[in-house]
Amino acid sequence: MTDPTGKYSITMPRDIADAAKARSGPSGLSAYVTAAVARQIERDNLNELVAVAEAEHGPITDDEIQALRDQLHQARRQQARNRADAA
């Protein structure tokens, strides 16, 4: 069961609202906006975690970020290979 919902009034530029309506599909504008707000909350939470980590350990360098991106890409390639092998 999902959490109870509430009805809210928001204001946004018309062009953004029109684009959101056009992209919302069958789930509707409310579901589209809810997903967008949920993603923003996740990003805000991650930014807070990064700030705490940087305060404790120092700034994250560009080299560290690139190394982690490389690891992620390698893991994704390995997953794709594993799926292909299993098929």
Side-chain angles (χ1 to χ4, degrees), residues 4 18 55 69:
D18 291 342
R69 283 187 176 137

Side-chain angles (χ1 to χ4, degrees), residues 9 35 80:
S9 174

Side-chain angles (χ1 to χ4, degrees), residues 11 29-30 33 39 45 49 53 62 66-67 74 82 85 87:
T11 303
L29 182 60
S30 290
V33 171
R39 280 191 306 276
N45 289 338
L49 288 172
D62 290 341
Q66 188 58 50
Q74 182 179 3
N82 291 346
D85 291 344

Side-chain angles (χ1 to χ4, degrees), residues 41-64:
I41 290 169
E42 289 173 356
R43 291 178 65 130
D44 293 345
N45 289 338
L46 287 171
N47 286 335
E48 289 171 8
L49 288 172
V50 169
V52 168
E54 286 186 325
E56 185 173 334
H57 303 286
I60 300 168
T61 67
D62 290 341
D63 289 340
E64 290 170 321

